[in-house]
Amino acid sequence: MKDKITAAIDERRQDLIALTVDLIRFPTINPPGEAYTPCAEFIGKRLGAAGFDVEYVRGEGTPGDSDRYPRTNVIARYEGKGPGPTIHFNSHIDVVEAGEGWTMDPFEGVVKDGRVYGRGACDMKGGLAASIIAAEAYIAANPDFHGAIEVSGTVDEESGGYGGVAYLAQKGYFSKPRVDHVIIPEPLNKDRICLGHRGVWWAEIETEGSIAHGAMPFLGDSAIRHMGAFLAELEKELFPALDRKQTRMPVVPEGARRSTLNLNSVHGGQTEDFQPGLPSPNVADSCRLIIDRRFLLEEDISEVKDEVISILERLKQERPNFRYAVRDLMEVLPLMTDEDAPVPTAIADAIREVFGKDPEFVISPGTYDQKHISRLGHLHDCVAYGPGILDLAHRPDEWVGIDDMMESAKVMAMSIDTLLKQPRR
């Protein structure tokens, strides 16, 4: 069977390249959510022609969903000749904005020097294309298999996945008995298996003040100065404490094997109410800070929050008129699938077959849609595996290697064969 799978994928090399190019040419930029529907319909028509049953599900009422920018997801399912497990390949179709610095059109899908270039080539339309080729090649090589194969193209992963995998997971699309195993073809290198990710707490912290004339600031109370005092305490107390926290999770890169805090943005005063470049003549009565706290399996979310709130509470006691508010924006617990679970075991065996070496098991420094499959779908046999180099994601001249996609497709197809032959648990 391995020889048949390899041959079936080798025959589809040009098809894989063309499919990747076609996917890149849909400018599925998020935000706001451009071209979601035509991209989903393209995938659906492709898989429908291959014998899959195709369904389109709009994430109605989710952030960003509107008639102009509908959150259109596509789910395709191919039923085998008899009952058995279901393996699902989930890829997000949205990409970040192109940005500056490109030497070519980011949405042309340039094929050059063994690579396909374009926004989303690496993250993750190359992985989506590889999973489609893997599924089609496996069906051609083994048409009498038992079980089912699903492929989905979902939206909004770059902004939290709420209109995509989270919405579908709430509807039962990523739960047993419908699905048993999930592979997410995120770009974490073709010989790596990503078992999960660190946790995240996004929050908005607001300090409050009193407005007054900027020529007489002593009559007011600057919220920006209060925020400055909080930032100073973070530098003095929290950042050094986080640097000392290490994890057993095999997070890559090495610097992410500790707790981290990023100060995403600061907004203070009334400057935004005036013509750009002109200052406000007022004392700031509000200052807002967005924080991005990444945490480890060894940490509890309540402790993570308390580290920040305890500093704010201390300042409230020590600093006259210090007032604050904290608003949760998102929280995701860290997760790590067991190395000996069925999906990572099947992929590891396939990597040994294709590359002749043991895989590296890693953890992603940031979250991806596995969080929703675990949290909402309660399905834990899920990992990320796909072609591409994560360091290239979101950068100018993003690319994915053609050989990498081919080899990853072989790993995926061999994993299908292993998983579909196992009894359902």
Side-chain angles (χ1 to χ4, degrees):
M1 181 55 63
K2 292 175 182 176
D3 290 341
K4 284 186 176 181
I5 289 171
T6 298
I9 291 173
D10 285 339
E11 292 171 359
R12 289 166 169 76
R13 183 182 182 90
Q14 293 305 314
D15 190 11
L16 175 56
I17 296 169
L19 177 57
T20 306
V21 169
D22 286 340
L23 290 169
I24 290 169
R25 287 178 175 172
F26 290 97
T28 48
I29 301 167
N30 176 31
E34 298 279 2
Y36 281 178
T37 299
C39 184
E41 290 176 345
F42 170 81
I43 296 165
K45 289 176 183 177
R46 162 80 187 222
L47 290 169
F52 284 74
D53 295 322
V54 178
E55 183 178 3
Y56 300 98
V57 180
R58 175 175 167 179
E60 294 190 46
T62 58
D65 179 62
S66 67
D67 289 341
R68 183 177 180 183
Y69 299 113
R71 269 41 198 172
T72 305
N73 303 283
V74 58
I75 307 99
R77 182 180 177 93
Y78 192 102
E79 295 284 356
K81 300 299 184 182
T86 296
I87 180 167
H88 185 117
F89 291 90
N90 166 250
S91 299
H92 65 85
I93 62 174
D94 61 316
V95 301
V96 298
E97 63 178 307
E100 301 296 327
W102 287 78
T103 63
M104 63 193 74
D105 184 336
F107 296 106
E108 184 179 347
V110 175
V111 180
K112 181 181 177 182
D113 299 328
R115 300 171 177 176
V116 182
Y117 288 85
R119 175 54 81 224
C122 168
D123 186 16
M124 60 180 298
K125 289 178 176 177
L128 171 57
S131 70
I132 292 172
I133 292 296
E136 292 176 348
Y138 179 77
I139 293 166
N142 186 20
D144 296 324
F145 75 89
H146 283 212
I149 301 169
E150 291 188 343
V151 178
S152 63
T154 53
V155 303
D156 285 357
E157 189 274 345
E158 298 291 1
S159 55
Y162 298 106
V165 171
Y167 185 85
L168 294 172
Q170 289 173 329
K171 301 291 184 181
Y173 285 89
F174 289 98
S175 298
K176 292 185 176 183
R178 178 186 174 107
V179 174
D180 299 277
H181 315 290
V182 179
I183 296 174
I184 303 175
E186 288 277 7
L188 287 139
N189 294 17
K190 61 187 179 183
D191 56 357
R192 284 176 168 176
I193 301 170
C194 183
L195 300 172
H197 50 69
R198 294 190 299 172
V200 58
W201 177 46
W202 283 354
E204 180 187 75
I205 297 167
E206 181 179 16
T207 51
E208 302 172 15
S210 298
I211 195 169
H213 199 296
M216 296 174 286
F218 45 83
L219 298 180
D221 184 28
S222 175
I224 294 175
R225 289 186 63 184
H226 287 312
M227 185 63 75
F230 174 62
L231 292 172
E233 291 301 306
L234 291 181
E235 290 289 347
K236 182 175 71 175
E237 178 180 331
L238 188 54
F239 278 108
L242 297 183
D243 282 339
R244 293 191 292 268
K245 293 188 178 186
Q246 300 292 319
T247 182
R248 63 182 174 84
M249 303 170 79
V251 188
V252 290
E254 182 70 29
R257 292 190 182 182
R258 56 186 174 86
S259 295
T260 58
L261 173 65
N262 183 54
L263 308 178
N264 287 25
S265 61
V266 180
H267 310 269
Q270 294 80 37
T271 303
E272 296 165 350
D273 297 338
F274 288 75
Q275 181 179 339
L278 294 179
S280 161
N282 295 324
V283 174
D285 59 357
S286 172
C287 186
R288 293 172 290 113
L289 168 70
I290 307 297
I291 65 169
D292 179 350
R293 172 73 163 85
R294 304 292 170 139
F295 61 100
L296 314 170
L297 271 176
E298 293 83 357
E299 298 178 274
D300 185 87
I301 182 66
S302 61
E303 297 172 2
V304 167
K305 293 182 177 183
D306 187 62
E307 290 171 335
V308 171
I309 293 171
S310 64
I311 293 174
L312 291 165
E313 281 294 309
R314 188 172 71 244
L315 287 170
K316 185 177 180 180
Q317 299 299 318
E318 298 174 354
R319 189 175 174 86
N321 300 319
F322 186 89
R323 291 173 294 151
Y324 75 90
V326 177
R327 285 179 282 276
D328 290 338
L329 302 179
M330 183 173 73
E331 64 179 64
V332 174
L333 298 180
L335 60 89
M336 185 167 71
T337 300
D338 292 337
E339 287 185 21
D340 58 358
V343 168
T345 298
I347 297 174
D349 289 343
I351 286 174
R352 294 184 187 101
E353 180 70 27
V354 174
F355 299 110
K357 66 176 186 177
D358 289 334
E360 180 184 3
F361 291 98
V362 301
I363 293 291
S364 173
T367 68
Y368 54 95
D369 279 335
Q370 185 174 348
K371 59 182 177 283
H372 299 309
I373 294 167
S374 175
R375 178 176 62 93
L376 298 173
H378 305 290
L379 185 64
H380 306 295
D381 193 25
C382 172
V383 302
Y385 170 78
I389 301 168
L390 187 60
D391 293 354
L392 300 173
H394 299 196
R395 299 181 66 182
D397 290 350
E398 177 184 348
W399 58 268
V400 64
I402 295 169
D403 287 343
D404 292 346
M405 288 192 291
M406 289 289 292
E407 290 165 334
S408 291
K410 292 173 184 177
V411 170
M412 293 178 194
M414 291 179 188
S415 300
I416 294 172
D417 189 51
T418 299
L419 292 166
L420 291 183
K421 290 177 179 177
Q422 294 181 358
R424 302 191 80 174
R425 296 186 177 186

